[in-house]
Amino acid sequence: MKKTMYTALVVTLVLVGLYALSSVYTSAVSTNSCACHFGRSQSLDILEGDAGNVVPTSINVGETKTVTVIVENTCTAAAYNTLSSVIITLASQDGRISVADPTFSIGTLSVGTATATWQITGVSPGEDSLLISATARNNHQSSLTFSDSYSFNPTIMVNSASPPPPSDYSVTITVTDSATSSPIQGATVEIGTATATTGSNGAASLTLGAGIQTLTIEKAGYQTLSQSITVSGSASISRSLVANPQTPPPPPPPPQTEGTYSVTVTVTDEDTGEPLEGAVIAVRGLRATTWADGEATLLLEAGKYKLRVVMDGYERSKAKFRVSMDTSLEIQLEWDDDYDDEDDDDDDGAYGDDDEHGDDDEDDDHDEYEYERDDGEYGYEHERDRNESDD
């Protein structure tokens, strides 16, 4: 009998000791010590070192970032191991960071892990740290509550807000000759509404806003360049202009012989004053055609002459002049509003059918002579008329 009681006492002491040891062992976590789970444990844990945690180490004032934390329900009991009312709270310890919706509710959590996320925003420069707190309970025995907390280390540095990107940028355009690579001075550079002129180094600087804009470069003697460029910051841009094809220079006048004089005739538009190229000048069977500068040169002996000028699209013109030295004449042509290409098929035009004698000048112009009448005006007669008067 005594032996049986002694054995029962020993067993009881062993069980009490094991229970005590179990209580000491599980003191670091929330203990589920209900009678049906004797010797079992359950805990709610924030997994500080989990790879799934996302906690920034720096943030700018006004910048928003995401914080992600993993929590775990650990339980050694096979039943009644679900946690309920699981709530995770994130808070700033120094007030330099604001948390949108600080309380994240997970609700029910079976054995395993869950993820909580928040959006944080930098408020003021300096160091701050985040404190995470987790709470839950086991409904099987509602008096059993669970909690855990953790403050992240290292702290989070809140930096001053980054300056906004500039609204205007300095863009330098350098313009060169495509053939010689020499800088072009005096070229007009236009981008959007900004305009500048290149200096001796071929460069022009403009202040521009960001975006896609049209670049136009113009310079007399060169082909205009126009293209789109994207402005996203200050930059230096190089562009080349192609020179216009050169008009060949007019041929030199025929060699001047003794007793002859150079007569330079310049033909221009009466309305615009612009030189006319391709006008045909006729004087006593001689013909010359104006070049791009509107000029043509003839060699004539001293005397009195009648000059005629024609050009497609213009009224014909006549002029009288005297040659006693090198002479320059300017003829202005008037635009013919009734001009028709089909009405003027003569190659040279200057020998048309409007001769004052009513004859075709091309046949008898070289037989025409000038004379000065008593009134000082010029008259013309043909060689046949002179012969008849001589008889």
Side-chain angles (χ1 to χ4, degrees):
M1 181 66 177
K2 290 182 178 180
K3 184 176 181 182
T4 301
M5 293 178 61
Y6 176 79
T7 302
L9 179 61
V10 170
V11 171
T12 300
L13 291 174
V14 170
L15 291 175
V16 171
L18 289 174
Y19 179 79
L21 288 174
S22 175
S23 298
V24 173
Y25 174 76
T26 60
S27 62
V29 294
S30 302
T31 302
N32 185 342
S33 55
C34 60
C36 58
H37 294 154
F38 181 74
R40 303 297 184 179
S41 66
Q42 185 173 25
S43 65
L44 176 66
D45 188 20
I46 299 170
L47 301 182
E48 295 89 343
D50 193 279
N53 292 342
V54 177
V55 182
T57 58
S58 66
I59 190 171
N60 295 328
V61 172
E63 183 182 13
T64 298
K65 291 187 176 182
T66 300
V67 173
T68 301
V69 173
I70 309 299
V71 295
E72 184 178 24
N73 172 15
T74 303
C75 186
T76 59
Y80 306 111
N81 52 18
T82 298
L83 293 177
S84 62
S85 302
V86 181
I87 296 175
I88 317 296
T89 303
L90 181 68
S92 164
Q93 297 197 64
D94 297 308
R96 300 184 185 278
I97 296 173
S98 66
V99 182
D101 298 325
T103 300
F104 188 94
S105 177
I106 294 176
T108 300
L109 177 60
S110 301
V111 174
T113 60
T115 301
T117 59
W118 299 266
Q119 297 295 312
I120 64 171
T121 303
V123 174
S124 60
E127 289 186 341
D128 201 345
S129 59
L130 296 175
L131 176 65
I132 300 179
S133 302
T135 61
R137 73 169 183 262
N138 190 321
N139 285 339
H140 179 59
Q141 188 174 343
S142 58
S143 61
L144 292 178
T145 59
F146 304 85
S147 65
D148 192 14
S149 63
Y150 174 67
S151 180
F152 286 100
N153 188 28
T155 58
I156 300 176
M157 176 59 68
V158 182
N159 303 309
S160 298
S162 300
S167 58
D168 295 317
Y169 301 98
S170 176
V171 177
T172 299
I173 310 293
T174 301
V175 184
T176 58
D177 186 293
S178 62
T180 65
S181 298
S182 301
I184 297 177
Q185 183 177 4
T188 300
V189 179
E190 180 178 331
I191 303 178
T193 59
T195 302
T197 302
T198 57
S200 58
N201 61 350
S205 295
L206 303 93
T207 299
L208 307 171
I212 299 175
Q213 305 195 46
T214 299
L215 164 66
T216 302
I217 305 177
E218 295 180 326
K219 169 70 176 177
Y222 288 86
Q223 298 177 20
T224 298
L225 181 147
S226 183
Q227 59 184 213
S228 295
I229 62 172
T230 299
V231 178
S232 58
S234 298
S236 295
I237 302 173
S238 296
R239 293 294 184 267
S240 296
L241 296 185
V242 178
N244 291 328
Q246 295 294 322
T247 302
Q256 189 169 346
T257 60
E258 186 176 355
T260 61
Y261 298 95
S262 173
V263 178
T264 300
V265 182
T266 302
V267 182
T268 60
D269 184 292
E270 183 180 60
D271 294 327
T272 66
E274 293 294 322
L276 297 178
E277 180 180 5
V280 179
I281 302 168
V283 178
R284 289 246 193 117
L286 298 176
R287 285 177 289 176
T289 303
T290 57
W291 288 77
D293 57 3
E295 293 185 357
T297 301
L298 303 97
L299 292 180
L300 300 174
E301 296 179 354
K304 302 170 186 177
Y305 295 89
K306 177 181 178 183
L307 172 148
R308 279 161 286 185
V309 182
V310 297
M311 182 173 180
D312 290 346
Y314 288 86
E315 298 280 357
R316 300 185 182 189
S317 179
K318 297 180 181 181
K320 299 173 184 178
F321 63 97
R322 184 192 300 271
V323 176
S324 60
M325 62 181 67
D326 291 344
T327 304
S328 295
L329 302 174
E330 182 172 344
I331 305 297
Q332 293 183 333
L333 297 186
E334 180 181 358
W335 180 256
D336 184 359
D337 293 330
D338 299 325
Y339 171 72
D340 188 342
D341 289 339
E342 296 180 357
D343 293 341
D344 194 359
D345 294 332
D346 257 342
D347 289 339
D348 52 36
Y351 301 94
D353 57 5
D354 67 338
D355 180 65
E356 59 189 358
H357 297 288
D359 298 326
D360 190 336
D361 288 343
E362 187 167 0
D363 294 334
D364 59 11
D365 187 81
H366 62 282
D367 294 330
E368 191 175 57
Y369 291 88
E370 295 173 305
Y371 67 93
E372 187 172 6
R373 301 200 301 256
D374 294 338
D375 59 4
E377 295 295 330
Y378 293 95
Y380 295 87
E381 62 181 12
H382 286 79
E383 184 176 9
R384 62 177 177 271
D385 299 327
R386 292 170 61 91
N387 292 337
E388 290 173 0
S389 62
D390 290 342
D391 294 341

